[in-house]
Amino acid sequence: MEKAYRVKKNTEIEKIIQKKDSVGDGFFVVYKNQNLATGHFRFAVSVSKKFGIAVERNHIKRQVREIVASYPFQNRFDFLIVVKPAAKKLDFQEIKTDLNKLFARAKLTEVEK
């Protein structure tokens, strides 16, 4: 996925969190914020050091980015995915299923016409 689709600046991430528009479960939290300035969606992934060593944190981030790349999102949102330590016990398919449910609850998906 291109870097244009990533939220990198701390100030932008803080804006997403301060909006307090979120959905979550025991494994992930998805914060979203409307952004009409860009012509596409943007996202960030946050994994705490409580999750594990750097190899484990990077592995889960790669998995989440792969899921996001294959999902049809609305173009007017920035969102942040926070990975909780409990997600360590999930395999890729369970992560994908859980995130798909959260994306649907957050209404981030493209609307079929």
Side-chain angles (χ1 to χ4, degrees), residues 61-85:
K61 284 192 275 188
R62 283 193 306 271
Q63 289 178 328
V64 170
R65 282 196 295 264
E66 179 66 28
I67 293 165
V68 169
S70 66
Y71 208 77
F73 290 104
Q74 292 184 21
N75 289 333
R76 63 180 192 265
F77 286 106
D78 289 347
F79 58 96
L80 168 68
I81 302 168
V82 178
V83 181
K84 294 184 178 180

PDB file of all heavy atoms in Angstrom, residues 61-85:
ATOM      1  N   LYS A  61       1.592  -5.589  12.529  1.00  0.00           N
ATOM      2  CA  LYS A  61       1.373  -4.405  11.700  1.00  0.00           C
ATOM      3  C   LYS A  61       1.345  -4.772  10.218  1.00  0.00           C
ATOM      4  O   LYS A  61       0.499  -4.259   9.468  1.00  0.00           O
ATOM      5  CB  LYS A  61       2.457  -3.348  11.955  1.00  0.00           C
ATOM      6  CG  LYS A  61       2.268  -2.605  13.259  1.00  0.00           C
ATOM      7  CD  LYS A  61       3.165  -1.402  13.358  1.00  0.00           C
ATOM      8  CE  LYS A  61       4.519  -1.787  13.881  1.00  0.00           C
ATOM      9  NZ  LYS A  61       5.376  -0.626  14.183  1.00  0.00           N
ATOM     10  N   ARG A  62       2.226  -5.665   9.789  1.00  0.00           N
ATOM     11  CA  ARG A  62       2.206  -6.109   8.392  1.00  0.00           C
ATOM     12  C   ARG A  62       0.899  -6.822   8.063  1.00  0.00           C
ATOM     13  O   ARG A  62       0.330  -6.638   6.981  1.00  0.00           O
ATOM     14  CB  ARG A  62       3.392  -7.032   8.111  1.00  0.00           C
ATOM     15  CG  ARG A  62       4.699  -6.302   7.948  1.00  0.00           C
ATOM     16  CD  ARG A  62       5.783  -7.206   7.363  1.00  0.00           C
ATOM     17  NE  ARG A  62       5.979  -8.435   8.108  1.00  0.00           N
ATOM     18  CZ  ARG A  62       6.812  -8.568   9.136  1.00  0.00           C
ATOM     19  NH1 ARG A  62       7.518  -7.542   9.561  1.00  0.00           N
ATOM     20  NH2 ARG A  62       6.951  -9.729   9.744  1.00  0.00           N
ATOM     21  N   GLN A  63       0.424  -7.657   8.993  1.00  0.00           N
ATOM     22  CA  GLN A  63      -0.837  -8.362   8.765  1.00  0.00           C
ATOM     23  C   GLN A  63      -2.000  -7.376   8.648  1.00  0.00           C
ATOM     24  O   GLN A  63      -2.846  -7.513   7.756  1.00  0.00           O
ATOM     25  CB  GLN A  63      -1.088  -9.355   9.894  1.00  0.00           C
ATOM     26  CG  GLN A  63      -0.175 -10.548   9.872  1.00  0.00           C
ATOM     27  CD  GLN A  63      -0.428 -11.495  11.030  1.00  0.00           C
ATOM     28  OE1 GLN A  63      -0.816 -11.074  12.122  1.00  0.00           O
ATOM     29  NE2 GLN A  63      -0.205 -12.772  10.790  1.00  0.00           N
ATOM     30  N   VAL A  64      -2.049  -6.406   9.533  1.00  0.00           N
ATOM     31  CA  VAL A  64      -3.142  -5.424   9.505  1.00  0.00           C
ATOM     32  C   VAL A  64      -3.086  -4.600   8.220  1.00  0.00           C
ATOM     33  O   VAL A  64      -4.107  -4.361   7.578  1.00  0.00           O
ATOM     34  CB  VAL A  64      -3.097  -4.521  10.760  1.00  0.00           C
ATOM     35  CG1 VAL A  64      -4.059  -3.353  10.625  1.00  0.00           C
ATOM     36  CG2 VAL A  64      -3.418  -5.329  12.011  1.00  0.00           C
ATOM     37  N   ARG A  65      -1.895  -4.192   7.808  1.00  0.00           N
ATOM     38  CA  ARG A  65      -1.762  -3.429   6.564  1.00  0.00           C
ATOM     39  C   ARG A  65      -2.214  -4.251   5.356  1.00  0.00           C
ATOM     40  O   ARG A  65      -2.832  -3.720   4.431  1.00  0.00           O
ATOM     41  CB  ARG A  65      -0.328  -2.945   6.371  1.00  0.00           C
ATOM     42  CG  ARG A  65       0.007  -1.742   7.219  1.00  0.00           C
ATOM     43  CD  ARG A  65       1.252  -1.033   6.757  1.00  0.00           C
ATOM     44  NE  ARG A  65       2.457  -1.836   6.881  1.00  0.00           N
ATOM     45  CZ  ARG A  65       3.300  -1.786   7.911  1.00  0.00           C
ATOM     46  NH1 ARG A  65       3.071  -0.973   8.919  1.00  0.00           N
ATOM     47  NH2 ARG A  65       4.372  -2.529   7.928  1.00  0.00           N
ATOM     48  N   GLU A  66      -1.924  -5.538   5.358  1.00  0.00           N
ATOM     49  CA  GLU A  66      -2.362  -6.419   4.272  1.00  0.00           C
ATOM     50  C   GLU A  66      -3.886  -6.501   4.221  1.00  0.00           C
ATOM     51  O   GLU A  66      -4.486  -6.461   3.141  1.00  0.00           O
ATOM     52  CB  GLU A  66      -1.771  -7.820   4.461  1.00  0.00           C
ATOM     53  CG  GLU A  66      -2.178  -8.810   3.410  1.00  0.00           C
ATOM     54  CD  GLU A  66      -1.646  -8.480   2.027  1.00  0.00           C
ATOM     55  OE1 GLU A  66      -0.585  -7.844   1.935  1.00  0.00           O
ATOM     56  OE2 GLU A  66      -2.299  -8.858   1.039  1.00  0.00           O
ATOM     57  N   ILE A  67      -4.527  -6.589   5.371  1.00  0.00           N
ATOM     58  CA  ILE A  67      -5.992  -6.638   5.427  1.00  0.00           C
ATOM     59  C   ILE A  67      -6.584  -5.327   4.942  1.00  0.00           C
ATOM     60  O   ILE A  67      -7.541  -5.311   4.161  1.00  0.00           O
ATOM     61  CB  ILE A  67      -6.456  -6.982   6.859  1.00  0.00           C
ATOM     62  CG1 ILE A  67      -6.053  -8.418   7.199  1.00  0.00           C
ATOM     63  CG2 ILE A  67      -7.955  -6.789   7.008  1.00  0.00           C
ATOM     64  CD1 ILE A  67      -6.132  -8.760   8.675  1.00  0.00           C
ATOM     65  N   VAL A  68      -6.018  -4.211   5.370  1.00  0.00           N
ATOM     66  CA  VAL A  68      -6.513  -2.900   4.958  1.00  0.00           C
ATOM     67  C   VAL A  68      -6.366  -2.718   3.447  1.00  0.00           C
ATOM     68  O   VAL A  68      -7.252  -2.172   2.789  1.00  0.00           O
ATOM     69  CB  VAL A  68      -5.785  -1.777   5.729  1.00  0.00           C
ATOM     70  CG1 VAL A  68      -6.077  -0.416   5.138  1.00  0.00           C
ATOM     71  CG2 VAL A  68      -6.180  -1.807   7.201  1.00  0.00           C
ATOM     72  N   ALA A  69      -5.273  -3.197   2.879  1.00  0.00           N
ATOM     73  CA  ALA A  69      -5.036  -3.046   1.442  1.00  0.00           C
ATOM     74  C   ALA A  69      -6.066  -3.799   0.606  1.00  0.00           C
ATOM     75  O   ALA A  69      -6.354  -3.405  -0.531  1.00  0.00           O
ATOM     76  CB  ALA A  69      -3.634  -3.535   1.092  1.00  0.00           C
ATOM     77  N   SER A  70      -6.652  -4.841   1.154  1.00  0.00           N
ATOM     78  CA  SER A  70      -7.594  -5.659   0.384  1.00  0.00           C
ATOM     79  C   SER A  70      -9.054  -5.331   0.684  1.00  0.00           C
ATOM     80  O   SER A  70      -9.942  -6.065   0.263  1.00  0.00           O
ATOM     81  CB  SER A  70      -7.350  -7.139   0.683  1.00  0.00           C
ATOM     82  OG  SER A  70      -7.674  -7.420   2.028  1.00  0.00           O
ATOM     83  N   TYR A  71      -9.307  -4.225   1.379  1.00  0.00           N
ATOM     84  CA  TYR A  71     -10.660  -3.911   1.819  1.00  0.00           C
ATOM     85  C   TYR A  71     -11.165  -2.638   1.140  1.00  0.00           C
ATOM     86  O   TYR A  71     -10.419  -1.669   1.037  1.00  0.00           O
ATOM     87  CB  TYR A  71     -10.660  -3.737   3.341  1.00  0.00           C
ATOM     88  CG  TYR A  71     -11.976  -4.057   3.988  1.00  0.00           C
ATOM     89  CD1 TYR A  71     -12.379  -5.362   4.187  1.00  0.00           C
ATOM     90  CD2 TYR A  71     -12.827  -3.038   4.388  1.00  0.00           C
ATOM     91  CE1 TYR A  71     -13.591  -5.656   4.780  1.00  0.00           C
ATOM     92  CE2 TYR A  71     -14.038  -3.326   4.986  1.00  0.00           C
ATOM     93  CZ  TYR A  71     -14.418  -4.632   5.168  1.00  0.00           C
ATOM     94  OH  TYR A  71     -15.614  -4.918   5.758  1.00  0.00           O
ATOM     95  N   PRO A  72     -12.422  -2.592   0.691  1.00  0.00           N
ATOM     96  CA  PRO A  72     -12.952  -1.390   0.019  1.00  0.00           C
ATOM     97  C   PRO A  72     -13.451  -0.352   1.033  1.00  0.00           C
ATOM     98  O   PRO A  72     -14.522  -0.488   1.597  1.00  0.00           O
ATOM     99  CB  PRO A  72     -14.125  -1.942  -0.799  1.00  0.00           C
ATOM    100  CG  PRO A  72     -14.602  -3.106  -0.008  1.00  0.00           C
ATOM    101  CD  PRO A  72     -13.375  -3.696   0.654  1.00  0.00           C
ATOM    102  N   PHE A  73     -12.677   0.690   1.248  1.00  0.00           N
ATOM    103  CA  PHE A  73     -13.039   1.725   2.219  1.00  0.00           C
ATOM    104  C   PHE A  73     -13.640   2.934   1.528  1.00  0.00           C
ATOM    105  O   PHE A  73     -13.368   3.197   0.357  1.00  0.00           O
ATOM    106  CB  PHE A  73     -11.809   2.184   3.012  1.00  0.00           C
ATOM    107  CG  PHE A  73     -11.307   1.160   3.965  1.00  0.00           C
ATOM    108  CD1 PHE A  73     -10.181   0.428   3.675  1.00  0.00           C
ATOM    109  CD2 PHE A  73     -11.967   0.918   5.153  1.00  0.00           C
ATOM    110  CE1 PHE A  73      -9.708  -0.522   4.553  1.00  0.00           C
ATOM    111  CE2 PHE A  73     -11.508  -0.035   6.030  1.00  0.00           C
ATOM    112  CZ  PHE A  73     -10.377  -0.754   5.734  1.00  0.00           C
ATOM    113  N   GLN A  74     -14.438   3.704   2.297  1.00  0.00           N
ATOM    114  CA  GLN A  74     -14.924   4.986   1.812  1.00  0.00           C
ATOM    115  C   GLN A  74     -13.744   5.944   1.747  1.00  0.00           C
ATOM    116  O   GLN A  74     -12.827   5.870   2.549  1.00  0.00           O
ATOM    117  CB  GLN A  74     -15.994   5.540   2.744  1.00  0.00           C
ATOM    118  CG  GLN A  74     -17.269   4.746   2.736  1.00  0.00           C
ATOM    119  CD  GLN A  74     -18.332   5.397   3.604  1.00  0.00           C
ATOM    120  OE1 GLN A  74     -18.270   6.567   3.899  1.00  0.00           O
ATOM    121  NE2 GLN A  74     -19.298   4.603   4.015  1.00  0.00           N
ATOM    122  N   ASN A  75     -13.783   6.851   0.830  1.00  0.00           N
ATOM    123  CA  ASN A  75     -12.652   7.733   0.595  1.00  0.00           C
ATOM    124  C   ASN A  75     -12.580   8.940   1.520  1.00  0.00           C
ATOM    125  O   ASN A  75     -11.623   9.671   1.480  1.00  0.00           O
ATOM    126  CB  ASN A  75     -12.666   8.213  -0.856  1.00  0.00           C
ATOM    127  CG  ASN A  75     -12.321   7.102  -1.805  1.00  0.00           C
ATOM    128  OD1 ASN A  75     -11.615   6.171  -1.444  1.00  0.00           O
ATOM    129  ND2 ASN A  75     -12.822   7.182  -3.015  1.00  0.00           N
ATOM    130  N   ARG A  76     -13.546   9.164   2.355  1.00  0.00           N
ATOM    131  CA  ARG A  76     -13.548  10.395   3.133  1.00  0.00           C
ATOM    132  C   ARG A  76     -13.157  10.230   4.600  1.00  0.00           C
ATOM    133  O   ARG A  76     -13.452  11.090   5.414  1.00  0.00           O
ATOM    134  CB  ARG A  76     -14.903  11.057   3.030  1.00  0.00           C
ATOM    135  CG  ARG A  76     -16.031  10.239   3.601  1.00  0.00           C
ATOM    136  CD  ARG A  76     -17.349  10.976   3.444  1.00  0.00           C
ATOM    137  NE  ARG A  76     -18.365  10.343   4.228  1.00  0.00           N
ATOM    138  CZ  ARG A  76     -19.225   9.446   3.782  1.00  0.00           C
ATOM    139  NH1 ARG A  76     -19.180   9.076   2.532  1.00  0.00           N
ATOM    140  NH2 ARG A  76     -20.124   8.922   4.576  1.00  0.00           N
ATOM    141  N   PHE A  77     -12.487   9.143   4.956  1.00  0.00           N
ATOM    142  CA  PHE A  77     -12.148   8.911   6.354  1.00  0.00           C
ATOM    143  C   PHE A  77     -10.655   8.691   6.570  1.00  0.00           C
ATOM    144  O   PHE A  77      -9.971   8.109   5.737  1.00  0.00           O
ATOM    145  CB  PHE A  77     -12.893   7.684   6.899  1.00  0.00           C
ATOM    146  CG  PHE A  77     -14.351   7.935   7.146  1.00  0.00           C
ATOM    147  CD1 PHE A  77     -15.302   7.411   6.298  1.00  0.00           C
ATOM    148  CD2 PHE A  77     -14.758   8.699   8.220  1.00  0.00           C
ATOM    149  CE1 PHE A  77     -16.646   7.638   6.519  1.00  0.00           C
ATOM    150  CE2 PHE A  77     -16.098   8.936   8.457  1.00  0.00           C
ATOM    151  CZ  PHE A  77     -17.048   8.403   7.599  1.00  0.00           C
ATOM    152  N   ASP A  78     -10.191   9.174   7.724  1.00  0.00           N
ATOM    153  CA  ASP A  78      -8.907   8.781   8.286  1.00  0.00           C
ATOM    154  C   ASP A  78      -9.244   7.866   9.444  1.00  0.00           C
ATOM    155  O   ASP A  78     -10.205   8.133  10.177  1.00  0.00           O
ATOM    156  CB  ASP A  78      -8.131   9.980   8.824  1.00  0.00           C
ATOM    157  CG  ASP A  78      -7.601  10.874   7.726  1.00  0.00           C
ATOM    158  OD1 ASP A  78      -7.614  10.458   6.560  1.00  0.00           O
ATOM    159  OD2 ASP A  78      -7.165  11.990   8.055  1.00  0.00           O
ATOM    160  N   PHE A  79      -8.500   6.796   9.632  1.00  0.00           N
ATOM    161  CA  PHE A  79      -8.775   5.938  10.779  1.00  0.00           C
ATOM    162  C   PHE A  79      -7.500   5.380  11.373  1.00  0.00           C
ATOM    163  O   PHE A  79      -6.465   5.306  10.724  1.00  0.00           O
ATOM    164  CB  PHE A  79      -9.789   4.828  10.453  1.00  0.00           C
ATOM    165  CG  PHE A  79      -9.398   3.912   9.331  1.00  0.00           C
ATOM    166  CD1 PHE A  79      -8.775   2.707   9.587  1.00  0.00           C
ATOM    167  CD2 PHE A  79      -9.694   4.231   8.016  1.00  0.00           C
ATOM    168  CE1 PHE A  79      -8.436   1.843   8.567  1.00  0.00           C
ATOM    169  CE2 PHE A  79      -9.364   3.379   6.978  1.00  0.00           C
ATOM    170  CZ  PHE A  79      -8.732   2.184   7.259  1.00  0.00           C
ATOM    171  N   LEU A  80      -7.597   5.043  12.650  1.00  0.00           N
ATOM    172  CA  LEU A  80      -6.487   4.514  13.426  1.00  0.00           C
ATOM    173  C   LEU A  80      -6.906   3.162  13.975  1.00  0.00           C
ATOM    174  O   LEU A  80      -7.983   3.034  14.559  1.00  0.00           O
ATOM    175  CB  LEU A  80      -6.149   5.463  14.575  1.00  0.00           C
ATOM    176  CG  LEU A  80      -5.200   4.961  15.651  1.00  0.00           C
ATOM    177  CD1 LEU A  80      -3.793   4.793  15.088  1.00  0.00           C
ATOM    178  CD2 LEU A  80      -5.177   5.917  16.831  1.00  0.00           C
ATOM    179  N   ILE A  81      -6.064   2.160  13.790  1.00  0.00           N
ATOM    180  CA  ILE A  81      -6.315   0.826  14.330  1.00  0.00           C
ATOM    181  C   ILE A  81      -5.337   0.612  15.477  1.00  0.00           C
ATOM    182  O   ILE A  81      -4.130   0.628  15.277  1.00  0.00           O
ATOM    183  CB  ILE A  81      -6.123  -0.265  13.269  1.00  0.00           C
ATOM    184  CG1 ILE A  81      -7.056  -0.009  12.083  1.00  0.00           C
ATOM    185  CG2 ILE A  81      -6.350  -1.656  13.862  1.00  0.00           C
ATOM    186  CD1 ILE A  81      -6.743  -0.844  10.871  1.00  0.00           C
ATOM    187  N   VAL A  82      -5.873   0.439  16.684  1.00  0.00           N
ATOM    188  CA  VAL A  82      -5.053   0.171  17.862  1.00  0.00           C
ATOM    189  C   VAL A  82      -5.146  -1.320  18.145  1.00  0.00           C
ATOM    190  O   VAL A  82      -6.242  -1.867  18.311  1.00  0.00           O
ATOM    191  CB  VAL A  82      -5.540   0.981  19.086  1.00  0.00           C
ATOM    192  CG1 VAL A  82      -4.702   0.655  20.302  1.00  0.00           C
ATOM    193  CG2 VAL A  82      -5.497   2.469  18.784  1.00  0.00           C
ATOM    194  N   VAL A  83      -3.994  -1.976  18.185  1.00  0.00           N
ATOM    195  CA  VAL A  83      -3.939  -3.416  18.423  1.00  0.00           C
ATOM    196  C   VAL A  83      -3.701  -3.648  19.908  1.00  0.00           C
ATOM    197  O   VAL A  83      -2.751  -3.130  20.480  1.00  0.00           O
ATOM    198  CB  VAL A  83      -2.798  -4.066  17.600  1.00  0.00           C
ATOM    199  CG1 VAL A  83      -2.759  -5.562  17.841  1.00  0.00           C
ATOM    200  CG2 VAL A  83      -2.963  -3.758  16.124  1.00  0.00           C
ATOM    201  N   LYS A  84      -4.574  -4.425  20.529  1.00  0.00           N
ATOM    202  CA  LYS A  84      -4.431  -4.741  21.954  1.00  0.00           C
ATOM    203  C   LYS A  84      -3.585  -6.004  22.127  1.00  0.00           C
ATOM    204  O   LYS A  84      -3.520  -6.846  21.223  1.00  0.00           O
ATOM    205  CB  LYS A  84      -5.807  -4.952  22.576  1.00  0.00           C
ATOM    206  CG  LYS A  84      -6.648  -3.683  22.592  1.00  0.00           C
ATOM    207  CD  LYS A  84      -7.961  -3.934  23.294  1.00  0.00           C
ATOM    208  CE  LYS A  84      -8.790  -2.676  23.365  1.00  0.00           C
ATOM    209  NZ  LYS A  84     -10.073  -2.916  24.052  1.00  0.00           N
ATOM    210  N   PRO A  85      -2.943  -6.157  23.285  1.00  0.00           N
ATOM    211  CA  PRO A  85      -2.086  -7.334  23.512  1.00  0.00           C
ATOM    212  C   PRO A  85      -2.802  -8.678  23.361  1.00  0.00           C
ATOM    213  O   PRO A  85      -2.178  -9.669  22.995  1.00  0.00           O
ATOM    214  CB  PRO A  85      -1.586  -7.137  24.940  1.00  0.00           C
ATOM    215  CG  PRO A  85      -1.636  -5.668  25.153  1.00  0.00           C
ATOM    216  CD  PRO A  85      -2.829  -5.186  24.381  1.00  0.00           C
TER     217      PRO A  85
END
